[in-house]
Structure formats: C-alpha cells, structure tokens
Amino acid sequence: NTSASAIALRRLTRANALFIEIVTGLYDDQASKWPVITAPSPKWHLWHISRWSEVVPEIAQWDKWNRCL
C-alpha cells in the first residue's frame, strides 16, 4: 500500500523498533547523563521521541487530507 498513512505507519513501526532497541540498551545513569552543559541528556531526547500519542492521530488524517486536495 502506498497511501500516505501506510507509508507513515511503516516508518513509525521501524522508528519504534529502533527506539525500543536504544532504550533497552541504556542504563539509567547513561540515559540521565548530560554529555555537555549545553546538551540535554539522552533521556530528555528519548522522552520527546516517545510521544507517539501526538503523532499517530495526525497520520490517520493524512489520506483524508490528501483526498481533499
């Protein structure tokens, strides 16, 4: 399927698998460490990446929007 939502779903599935791989490979002290004072910790970035609940509803609407264009 080449619809926008199908493509996005495949990409999200792959991104989720990579995310799980990264998270399960980190110890808490590694995830919490700020590498330099101006860069947030990996945990901060992982929290933002994991906010799928904000992305998925938008993707579900892509095909509907594309049909209206």
Side-chain angles (χ1 to χ4, degrees):
N1 191 343
T2 59
S3 69
S5 58
I7 292 167
L9 180 59
R10 285 193 299 272
R11 290 179 181 177
L12 275 172
T13 301
R14 177 67 179 138
N16 187 62
L18 291 169
F19 177 77
I20 297 298
E21 184 179 330
I22 291 166
V23 170
T24 57
L26 280 177
Y27 293 107
D28 192 53
D29 58 331
Q30 293 172 313
S32 299
K33 183 179 179 184
W34 287 54
V36 294
I37 197 166
T38 57
S41 71
K43 191 182 282 186
W44 183 88
H45 291 286
L46 293 170
W47 180 83
H48 284 280
I49 292 169
S50 69
R51 298 185 68 189
W52 298 115
S53 63
E54 295 176 1
V55 175
V56 174
E58 296 297 323
I59 291 169
Q61 297 295 318
W62 288 357
D63 287 330
K64 180 180 172 184
W65 292 333
N66 286 333
R67 285 191 298 270
C68 294
L69 296 177

